[in-house]
Amino acid sequence: VLPQLCVWYGECGVASGDKRYNCAYDGPPIALPEDGYDLMQELCPGLFFGNVSACCDVHQLQTLKNNLQLPLQFLSRCPSCFYNLINLFCELTCSPNQSDFLNVTSTIPYYDPILKENKSSITELQYFIGERFANAMYNACKDVEAPSSNVKALGLLCGKDVKDCNATNWIEYMFSKDNGQTPFSIIPIFSDVPVHGMNPMNNATKGCNESMDDLTGPCSCQDCSIVCGPKPQPPPLPTPWLLFGLDAVYVIMWISYMGFLLIFFALVFGVWCYRRRHFVSEYTPIDSNIAFSVNSHRDNGKITCGERLGERFENGLRMTFTSWGAFCVRNPRPVILFSVVFIAMCCSGFVYVKATTNPVDLWSAPSSQARKEKEYFDTHFGPFFRTEQLIIQAPNSHPSTYSPYPSGADVPFGSPLSKEILHQVLDLQDAIVNITASFDNETVMLKDICLAPLAPYNNNCTILSVLNYFQNSHSVLDHTIGDEFFVYADYHTHFLYCVRAPASLNDTSLLHDPCLGTFGGPVFPWLVLGGYDDDNYNNATALVITFPVNNYYNDSRKLMKALAWEKEFINFLKNYDNPNLTISFSAERSIEDEINRESKSDIGTVLISYTVMFVYISIALGHIQSCRRLLVDSKISLGIAGILIVLSSVACSVGIFSYFGIPLTLIVIEVIPFLVLAIGVDNIFIIVQTLQRDERLQGETLDKQIGRVLGDVAPSMFLSSFSETVAFFLGTLSTMPAVRTFSLFAGMAVLIDFILQVTCFVSLLGLDIKRQERNRLDILCCIKSNEEMSRAQRSESILFLFFKNLYSPYLLKDWMRPIIIAVFVGVLSFSTAVMHNVEIGLDQSLSMPDDSYVMDYFNQLSKYLHAGPPVYFVLEEGHNYTSLEGQNMVCGGMGCNNDSLVQQVFNAAEIGSYTRIGYAPSSWIDDYFDWVKPQSSCCRVYNTTGQFCNASVTDPSCTRCRPLTQEGKQRPQGKDFMTFLPMFLLDNPNPKCGKGGHAAYNSAVNFINNKSDVGATYFMTYHTVLKTSSDFIDAMKKARVIADNITETMGIKEKNYRVFPYSVFYVFYEQYLTIVHDAIFNLCISLGSIFLVTTLLLGFEVWAAVVVSITIAMIIINMFGVMWLWGISLNAVSLVNLVMSCGIAVEFCSHVTRAFTVSTKGSRVERAEEALSHMGSSVFSGITLTKFGGIVVLAFSKSQIFKIFYFRMYLAMVLLGATHGLIFLPVLLSYIGPSVNKAKTRATQERTRGTERERLLYF
């Protein structure tokens, strides 16, 4: 047996600072004094046998312990990894067989002043290490996580990026003098066979999947991929539904359409042949004479009970409105006065008017899941901070190349990473820090409102900026080490180290500057750099600077201070000028500010739009007989009065709901006047034009005539207004706040508008006709015209004559009708086929004006940002963290469950492209277990007071929190767990203990019951980069699936607490998870209510109501087709418009349908022709032309939301409504309209017998 020999013993001269050389010694190992036994047992239990002879003394053991503190804190999560590492250092420091594998290559003389003898200090030696040992040690450690910084621990200990780290360069780095820890050079030489007469150290190792002893288990799945089994795979994408290689829906709709055409044209041709054979000659007009003959034949039959009921209901409505109209014309003053008083009373509610601009209230219902989760998060951990962010590029600067000295490959550096640009950016950053705002005569600076996680020990603001790697200091940025010939280390070296080890307190170059931000937390490179590829942060083309500012949950004064500072911040950056920097920026208040600015700028557009409609209405209502009677026959004052009534109804609606404290929203203000104008103006045109076409009967007074006309048309107005009102009021069942508020205000406005029209407007109309008959001028009614007019003449407008003589007969020709049906069903089939492709969501940049600075910021954001928003997995109050079982359900380190909370989020991050979770979670509980271990120097208390003693304090009365026994090395449980946890959360990280939890986890743990228990806690990670609405929706969906899965595997469902994910954007995007369901629900409710009301008010004509509902459903489905074609996504704004188009569609369809049901002509075609002639012209001039003028103006709006959601959708709404109501519906009625109600026909004959109207109706 070879004799055991040492190469060193004891410590000699000072190498640098507090680091010392070891003394050369080539004798046998020396017995360790007993006061070193504890240390030897703690550090190198493998050498603790016999009389404990070793090649190290107590000082060397103490030095070893101090040097192992940092690796211990990061690697002891995985005991077998740390066991191998400590083996490497114990063999080097104390092994009795040192001379086998250590070879001293350089010494310097040293005189020992205490022993007064000459010695040698070792300045360099070779360490022969087995390759097998080195690789096994690396493999056991390579997966170990550093929970607080979302990276692998080796990234902090290897001096290189994790992916470039391997066994040899990791060991070389630990033994290099340049790492700032090693006092002299140790040169590792790797070999499994003896070299130069040396036997490499090749001790047995433990794999990370092996237990180190009976008490510890293997490393956790998170720290050891072998334990996990295969890496999780994302589920395969759902296979698209195809037929013949095409989208199945397209194919089905195409086949259905072809089938329909075949059957339809076969039927049309069959009927045509049948009629040719059975009717007189080919010269007889091929009309629906079959229908006529059936009708006339049935006319002699018995009247059914339903028909009689319908006729009585119809007659009741007619008589009611007739007598009411006559009353209003006879007593105009009391009616108008009453109306004005009613309007004034309603409008007095404006005193209480409140408008909601808070986006959270606009888009998210108070009872929604995301809103409740936001409330929970805000109350337990404080609200998510406000974000002020800059994205900076350097357009005039060019990329450079850094050549490390003395060796190493060239490293390219992006243009904004040149020193000159960094100095300019630091000047800008300092200027922002010094911005002062004033609020309530107080000065507000960033330091008053910023997030300072280590306050009050360290009041530095959190600034997430690449300059925080240089402590936001010009001098640190300029720090270089070199001589007159070469630079050995400068800001390039420091930057390259810090992006790999952002939590490091000492870079390993010659600079030895810290990387940790001045605020006490790490600055992750993916948050502060943009535009790089993979993980090559040095290629960054943009810098991102983020200032998190405190948000205040229930403190409006502090919130106002933050808002005041943000306003100055925005002004400062708008006026900042530096030709070398291009800056895009945004503050927390920017979006709300810009939406408000946009609303103000769009007021002009909206006013012009309304003015165009007003002018058209005022002119179009009049029917001028001759140029000389121009001022008498015009109806400008009546038109203006009509418009004022429409606007008053909107004002009344707002006033009434303001009384009840229901706040207004932007959508209400922008959409409802438009809607009510469409509906109200239509009714005005119907009343006025019907009266103009009517001839006063012999002996009939004006009030009787207007009463009779109102009796004819008011039931139709009542039908449309009432069905719209019911449809809107039922829309309030929606869960979406925007839709609910719109429906409330719209329903009330439409109802009040109808009431005012059949009261106030009828009285005004009577007064206007009297004025006209007395030849007084319009507007200037005191002046009388000389042009006489004998009596009110019946007059027909050009539009009416066009509809009656040209349009209706042509549209209803036998060859034209099948073509129209075919075309409309074709369009419907197309819309149905593409409906499922309409995108969901609202791109946030659309809510900004075109000229907004925020638009530029959004563009840069999607281009340069590399991390998505933070996401917190919140474990609600109720979990027991003090029991081993409770800890294992949550933690991610050794001994934790393979399906624990942290482990499942970690697994999700492994397949981030699918789950949209970008990084492993930061886990306070795992860091706490590492921090509290007795082997580390983190957890210490004063043995006199029991108070916490920070690792940087050197005081002999500071002792370990837990004993170095086997029991002490176990995780703390029960009371122990709660005793040390508050200390961990108040401990600031320092070079001796990097695991202090103050900066990283200060707000992550919520204490309850006087700090005797842990309440709610969170585990934070980041989403992957999210750019489009669908990305955000998907990220939220997946995070919820993960959280639900965690709740289930933890088995806590029955215990009334759960895990949920929270991110700041969820509250806005949650609506899209249910928007399809909401849209279907709202539109079906609207259609259902329209069907019921139409059935009732048409006098129980069920079939007519079915026809109206079918037509409205077609309009809605075609709206979806237009949305797909025109790139309009489905969201709250477009859903409000769809609900509104239901209302406007009623207006287009119900008047014509009712005119059809009350017509007493013989055949369906004739009835359709009459209905279209009489109602079509009023509907066309009342809605289509009025709206068209107003809509075109919206195309010139600055706001993209206006252009897309209002201009495009309103245009589609009016065009689809007009084409269906005035082209398709009459044709459909001519085919399948309800047959004549015999009771109504007889009643009409009775009513008009012996009058002039009999001649008009029946001859």
Side-chain angles (χ1 to χ4, degrees):
V1 179
L2 288 166
Q4 293 180 321
L5 293 173
C6 299
V7 298
W8 64 37
Y9 187 85
E11 292 182 341
C12 287
V14 177
S16 64
D18 57 351
K19 300 180 185 70
R20 301 175 69 89
Y21 293 122
N22 287 348
C23 307
Y25 164 74
D26 51 9
I30 298 168
L32 187 69
E34 285 191 13
D35 59 353
Y37 279 16
D38 281 354
L39 272 173
M40 183 63 95
Q41 201 170 358
E42 177 191 337
L43 297 169
C44 309
L47 303 178
F48 190 72
F49 57 86
N51 67 346
V52 196
S53 296
C55 297
C56 60
D57 64 6
V58 181
H59 284 298
Q60 283 175 290
L61 278 172
Q62 193 57 55
T63 305
L64 174 63
K65 179 176 175 171
N66 293 342
N67 286 346
L68 282 173
Q69 276 310 306
L70 210 61
L72 171 83
Q73 289 152 28
F74 288 103
L75 298 178
S76 61
R77 290 167 54 87
C78 175
S80 34
C81 153
F82 192 64
Y83 168 83
N84 298 335
L85 178 79
I86 214 158
N87 223 321
L88 176 78
F89 281 98
C90 281
E91 290 296 320
L92 166 72
T93 312
C94 295
S95 169
N97 303 313
Q98 274 181 338
S99 57
D100 288 358
F101 47 80
L102 293 181
N103 176 32
V104 177
T105 53
S106 167
T107 59
I108 52 169
Y110 168 72
Y111 176 72
D112 187 337
I114 297 164
L115 296 174
K116 297 193 167 38
E117 56 184 67
N118 289 317
K119 295 184 176 179
S120 296
S121 297
I122 297 175
T123 56
E124 186 181 276
L125 89 162
Q126 294 171 328
Y127 187 178
F128 290 80
I129 304 168
E131 268 182 41
R132 183 191 59 74
F133 178 89
N135 289 329
M137 179 176 98
Y138 170 74
N139 288 333
C141 294
K142 67 180 180 192
D143 294 326
V144 178
E145 285 288 318
S148 63
S149 56
N150 306 82
V151 291
K152 300 283 183 206
L154 282 194
L156 310 174
L157 302 170
C158 193
K160 279 190 161 44
D161 214 323
V162 178
K163 61 179 191 302
D164 300 327
C165 185
N166 56 37
T168 50
N169 61 25
W170 176 32
I171 293 174
E172 280 167 359
Y173 173 73
M174 286 194 291
F175 288 153
S176 158
K177 205 164 83 174
D178 295 340
N179 70 16
Q181 301 292 325
T182 314
F184 51 88
S185 289
I186 300 170
I187 299 160
I189 293 168
F190 302 97
S191 168
D192 278 337
V193 292
V195 202
H196 308 307
M198 307 295 280
N199 291 314
M201 190 283 292
N202 225 339
N203 285 9
T205 53
K206 296 276 185 194
C208 61
N209 56 342
E210 297 176 73
S211 302
M212 202 180 80
D213 52 40
D214 299 340
L215 287 166
T216 52
C219 305
S220 73
C221 164
Q222 199 176 333
D223 298 321
C224 177
S225 49
I226 322 167
V227 175
C228 298
K231 191 179 171 183
Q233 291 301 316
L237 291 169
T239 47
W241 186 30
L242 300 175
L243 287 174
F244 315 118
L246 297 165
D247 187 320
V249 183
Y250 292 178
V251 177
I252 290 167
M253 287 318 298
W254 178 247
I255 292 169
S256 311
Y257 180 52
M258 287 299 137
F260 168 79
L261 286 186
L262 221 73
I263 296 164
F264 176 68
F265 280 111
L267 278 173
V268 168
F269 186 68
V271 170
W272 185 76
C273 292
Y274 176 79
R275 274 203 297 193
R276 288 227 24 195
R277 185 172 306 162
H278 287 80
F279 290 96
V280 194
S281 77
E282 60 190 270
Y283 297 110
T284 307
I286 297 170
D287 206 62
S288 292
N289 284 324
I290 300 172
F292 174 61
S293 60
V294 170
N295 280 343
S296 35
H297 169 69
R298 289 275 305 278
D299 205 30
N300 309 323
K302 270 174 69 179
I303 295 173
T304 63
C305 180
E307 287 180 323
R308 187 170 289 112
L309 186 66
E311 190 277 324
R312 282 189 183 157
F313 185 78
E314 178 77 34
N315 198 40
L317 275 180
R318 175 183 278 108
M319 297 311 293
T320 309
F321 281 118
T322 300
S323 49
W324 176 251
F327 171 81
C328 289
V329 176
R330 281 197 307 275
N331 308 294
R333 285 173 186 78
V335 171
I336 293 169
L337 181 69
F338 177 79
S339 304
V340 171
V341 170
F342 171 73
I343 291 169
M345 281 169 62
C346 292
C347 291
S348 62
F350 269 87
V351 180
Y352 305 104
V353 79
K354 286 202 300 279
T356 306
T357 50
N358 180 358
V360 175
D361 294 330
L362 279 178
W363 302 124
S364 152
S367 58
S368 69
Q369 184 185 340
R371 189 75 175 273
K372 284 179 181 160
E373 288 169 353
K374 179 186 186 313
E375 294 288 319
Y376 190 91
F377 187 90
D378 289 356
T379 43
H380 288 79
F381 309 111
F384 191 80
F385 44 78
R386 304 174 68 83
T387 312
E388 333 298 340
Q389 196 168 55
L390 293 80
I391 299 174
I392 301 171
Q393 293 150 273
N396 306 329
S397 177
H398 300 290
S400 57
T401 305
Y402 164 63
S403 308
Y405 177 85
S407 62
D410 285 357
V411 184
F413 266 69
S415 53
L417 292 173
S418 73
K419 193 188 277 187
E420 298 70 46
I421 294 292
L422 289 175
H423 275 299
Q424 290 176 33
V425 173
L426 182 51
D427 287 333
L428 166 66
Q429 186 179 299
D430 289 343
I432 291 171
V433 170
N434 293 321
I435 289 174
T436 54
S438 63
F439 170 72
D440 247 13
N441 298 329
E442 279 183 51
T443 322
V444 183
M445 290 182 74
L446 180 64
K447 64 172 190 277
D448 304 319
I449 55 170
C450 72
L451 189 71
L454 297 187
Y457 313 103
N458 168 354
N459 290 320
N460 286 326
C461 289
T462 302
I463 301 175
L464 299 176
S465 155
V466 73
L467 293 151
N468 232 325
Y469 290 149
F470 306 96
Q471 273 53 58
N472 301 325
S473 152
H474 287 287
S475 58
V476 177
L477 186 56
D478 286 330
H479 188 188
T480 49
I481 300 283
D483 52 31
E484 63 237 53
F485 304 110
F486 298 109
V487 172
Y488 306 131
D490 65 355
Y491 84 97
H492 293 103
T493 337
H494 187 62
F495 172 85
L496 291 171
Y497 177 75
C498 290
V499 293
R500 290 190 301 268
S504 160
L505 287 147
N506 181 346
D507 88 8
T508 52
S509 67
L510 297 169
L511 298 170
H512 300 308
D513 289 327
C515 295
L516 203 65
T518 52
F519 57 92
V523 176
F524 300 123
W526 63 82
L527 295 178
V528 297
L529 297 164
Y532 53 84
D533 49 316
D534 294 332
D535 286 341
N536 302 316
Y537 302 114
N538 42 290
N539 288 337
T541 53
L543 306 179
V544 182
I545 302 182
T546 311
F547 300 89
V549 165
N550 282 315
N551 213 342
Y552 299 96
Y553 186 57
N554 279 330
D555 190 335
S556 56
R557 185 176 165 74
K558 284 183 177 167
L559 190 60
M560 296 306 288
K561 282 185 174 180
L563 287 165
W565 187 86
E566 283 173 3
K567 191 173 180 186
E568 289 303 321
F569 166 81
I570 293 168
N571 290 338
F572 170 80
L573 285 170
K574 276 183 177 172
N575 300 318
Y576 182 78
D577 185 37
N578 179 343
N580 298 324
L581 304 178
T582 308
I583 303 171
S584 311
F585 64 95
S586 161
E588 186 74 22
R589 64 178 287 163
S590 293
I591 292 182
E592 211 172 309
D593 281 358
E594 290 298 285
I595 287 176
N596 291 341
R597 177 173 80 87
E598 176 180 63
S599 308
K600 289 196 184 88
S601 72
D602 281 325
I603 288 172
T605 314
V606 175
L607 287 179
I608 294 170
S609 167
Y610 287 146
T611 311
V612 170
M613 294 193 268
F614 291 176
V615 171
Y616 164 74
I617 293 163
S618 307
I619 295 168
L621 269 183
H623 190 219
I624 290 112
Q625 306 281 327
S626 64
C627 288
R628 280 178 298 182
R629 290 190 56 82
L630 173 72
L631 292 173
V632 177
D633 289 346
S634 77
K635 294 241 178 296
I636 293 174
S637 50
L638 186 66
I640 289 172
I643 291 161
L644 287 176
I645 284 175
V646 170
L647 296 181
S648 301
S649 63
V650 177
C652 288
S653 171
V654 171
I656 288 169
F657 287 117
S658 296
Y659 266 128
F660 294 107
I662 295 169
L664 267 174
T665 62
L666 224 82
I667 287 189
V668 169
I669 299 161
E670 285 165 353
V671 178
I672 289 182
F674 208 86
L675 167 76
V676 182
L677 264 176
I679 292 165
V681 170
D682 188 34
N683 291 345
I684 291 172
F685 269 85
I686 288 171
I687 298 177
V688 175
Q689 291 184 344
T690 311
L691 182 66
Q692 284 168 346
R693 289 198 291 267
D694 185 71
E695 200 158 355
R696 198 174 300 173
L697 304 177
Q698 274 178 334
E700 193 177 40
T701 55
L702 175 65
D703 60 313
K704 293 263 174 62
Q705 183 195 11
I706 292 182
R708 178 169 52 74
V709 168
L710 193 67
D712 282 344
V713 297
S716 182
M717 289 160 49
F718 182 53
L719 161 67
S720 63
S721 299
F722 193 63
S723 48
E724 283 150 8
T725 300
V726 173
F728 286 138
F729 278 143
L730 286 173
T732 59
L733 297 172
S734 165
T735 51
M736 295 175 75
V739 178
R740 196 169 57 237
T741 314
F742 163 78
S743 301
L744 262 184
F745 282 86
M748 184 59 81
V750 171
L751 182 66
I752 292 176
D753 181 53
F754 171 73
I755 293 168
L756 289 175
Q757 276 173 339
V758 293
T759 51
C760 188
F761 185 73
V762 171
S763 295
L764 290 165
L765 177 64
L767 290 174
D768 193 67
I769 299 290
K770 286 176 188 167
R771 170 198 64 74
Q772 197 176 349
E773 287 177 356
R774 288 177 189 154
N775 281 342
R776 293 190 180 276
L777 301 188
D778 192 15
I779 304 174
L780 308 167
C781 48
C782 307
I783 303 170
K784 209 167 179 184
S785 162
N786 303 324
E787 186 71 21
E788 282 297 318
M789 180 177 86
S790 53
R791 61 193 284 249
Q793 290 175 352
R794 169 166 172 246
S795 62
E796 292 175 343
S797 66
I798 298 166
L799 195 61
F800 173 73
L801 294 170
F802 166 74
F803 264 81
K804 186 178 171 186
N805 299 332
L806 281 174
Y807 178 71
S808 305
Y810 189 74
L811 180 75
L812 294 165
K813 282 194 183 302
D814 267 15
W815 59 270
M816 184 58 126
R817 290 184 300 149
I819 295 173
I820 282 169
I821 295 286
V823 169
F824 275 82
V825 174
V827 172
L828 178 72
S829 306
F830 166 78
S831 296
T832 313
V834 299
M835 208 165 154
H836 64 289
N837 291 336
V838 172
E839 278 198 15
I840 289 173
L842 173 61
D843 181 359
Q844 54 182 358
S845 61
L846 288 181
S847 56
M848 295 294 104
D850 289 340
D851 57 355
S852 170
Y853 66 91
V854 184
M855 283 294 290
D856 178 42
Y857 169 75
F858 282 147
N859 294 336
Q860 306 298 355
L861 199 63
S862 58
K863 198 160 148 194
Y864 291 117
L865 222 62
H866 282 266
V871 54
Y872 301 85
F873 284 88
V874 178
L875 177 49
E876 290 181 351
E877 194 175 302
H879 188 68
N880 179 10
Y881 294 90
T882 59
S883 71
L884 193 63
E885 185 195 6
Q887 293 168 1
N888 288 343
M889 283 181 184
V890 176
C891 63
M894 180 201 76
C896 303
N897 298 349
N898 270 359
D899 55 5
S900 70
L901 186 155
V902 171
Q903 187 57 48
Q904 287 200 48
V905 181
F906 174 81
N907 291 346
E910 294 279 279
I911 44 172
S913 57
Y914 171 75
T915 59
R916 300 193 183 270
I917 299 289
Y919 304 91
S922 55
S923 160
W924 63 267
I925 194 164
D926 289 300
D927 272 344
Y928 171 51
F929 290 152
D930 292 342
W931 177 88
V932 83
K933 278 183 178 151
Q935 301 96 309
S936 93
S937 59
C938 288
C939 185
R940 304 188 306 160
V941 289
Y942 290 105
N943 58 11
T944 47
T945 60
Q947 294 290 311
F948 175 64
C949 166
N950 185 290
S952 55
V953 175
T954 46
D955 185 327
S957 65
C958 286
T959 56
R960 287 192 188 97
C961 295
R962 312 191 71 221
L964 242 176
T965 57
Q966 288 301 354
E967 192 189 337
K969 289 181 183 175
Q970 298 298 304
R971 287 195 218 137
Q973 289 170 42
K975 197 163 164 244
D976 259 11
F977 183 90
M978 289 310 303
T979 308
F980 305 121
L981 182 59
M983 298 178 186
F984 164 69
L985 294 172
L986 286 174
D987 185 20
N988 294 336
N990 59 58
K992 294 247 172 73
C993 172
K995 284 273 179 178
H998 192 165
Y1001 305 119
N1002 190 22
S1003 61
V1005 180
N1006 188 39
F1007 288 112
I1008 52 173
N1009 307 335
N1010 262 345
K1011 288 207 172 180
S1012 65
D1013 229 331
V1014 175
T1017 70
Y1018 68 66
F1019 298 81
M1020 187 187 103
T1021 177
Y1022 289 88
H1023 278 301
T1024 51
V1025 183
L1026 310 174
K1027 293 183 178 174
T1028 62
S1029 274
S1030 53
D1031 291 350
F1032 282 99
I1033 298 163
D1034 187 46
M1036 177 178 178
K1037 246 193 232 163
K1038 299 277 171 55
R1040 284 189 171 175
V1041 169
I1042 294 164
D1044 292 344
N1045 200 40
I1046 294 170
T1047 305
E1048 206 159 295
T1049 50
M1050 283 174 74
I1052 55 175
K1053 253 190 173 156
E1054 325 55 74
K1055 295 185 185 167
N1056 281 339
Y1057 67 95
R1058 63 189 180 108
V1059 176
F1060 68 83
Y1062 170 73
S1063 188
V1064 71
F1065 68 86
Y1066 287 179
V1067 71
F1068 303 111
Y1069 284 89
E1070 186 186 40
Q1071 54 176 323
Y1072 302 121
L1073 299 182
T1074 56
I1075 194 150
V1076 174
H1077 168 267
D1078 280 344
I1080 293 168
F1081 173 77
N1082 279 327
L1083 297 173
C1084 288
I1085 285 249
S1086 299
L1087 271 175
S1089 58
I1090 288 166
F1091 169 74
L1092 290 174
V1093 174
T1094 310
T1095 305
L1096 184 71
L1097 295 186
L1098 284 179
F1100 307 99
E1101 295 270 12
V1102 178
W1103 186 242
V1106 169
V1107 171
V1108 169
S1109 302
I1110 288 173
T1111 313
I1112 294 174
M1114 285 175 69
I1115 293 174
I1116 298 296
I1117 291 170
N1118 288 332
M1119 282 293 289
F1120 279 103
V1122 171
M1123 284 168 71
W1124 178 78
L1125 277 174
W1126 223 339
I1128 302 169
S1129 51
L1130 178 62
N1131 50 49
V1133 183
S1134 48
L1135 182 52
V1136 165
N1137 285 340
L1138 287 168
V1139 173
M1140 168 167 149
S1141 50
C1142 256
I1144 288 187
V1146 171
E1147 209 59 37
F1148 279 111
C1149 303
S1150 63
H1151 296 304
V1152 174
T1153 308
R1154 187 178 176 281
F1156 180 89
T1157 62
V1158 298
S1159 169
T1160 51
K1161 288 276 170 74
S1163 71
R1164 283 191 177 91
V1165 174
E1166 285 171 329
R1167 288 161 66 207
E1169 197 173 313
E1170 186 191 28
L1172 185 58
S1173 305
H1174 282 85
M1175 274 301 170
S1177 58
S1178 296
V1179 169
F1180 185 71
S1181 54
I1183 313 185
T1184 316
L1185 295 178
T1186 309
K1187 286 273 144 288
F1188 207 75
I1191 290 168
V1192 170
V1193 179
L1194 292 180
F1196 301 103
S1197 165
K1198 269 190 190 158
S1199 151
Q1200 300 183 77
I1201 275 204
F1202 257 73
K1203 279 186 214 161
I1204 292 173
F1205 293 103
Y1206 296 140
F1207 169 65
R1208 292 180 186 178
M1209 284 193 86
Y1210 286 4
L1211 192 63
M1213 213 182 285
V1214 171
L1215 292 179
L1216 287 172
T1219 48
H1220 281 77
L1222 302 177
I1223 300 175
F1224 174 74
L1225 181 62
V1227 172
L1228 186 65
L1229 287 168
S1230 74
Y1231 278 122
I1232 59 165
S1235 52
V1236 173
N1237 180 324
K1238 293 185 290 297
K1240 287 185 189 175
T1241 311
R1242 286 202 189 159
T1244 309
Q1245 284 170 350
E1246 291 296 320
R1247 245 194 350 269
T1248 55
R1249 181 161 294 155
T1251 64
E1252 205 173 342
R1253 282 175 70 79
E1254 184 178 35
R1255 186 174 54 79
L1256 288 170
L1257 283 167
Y1258 297 104
F1259 298 101

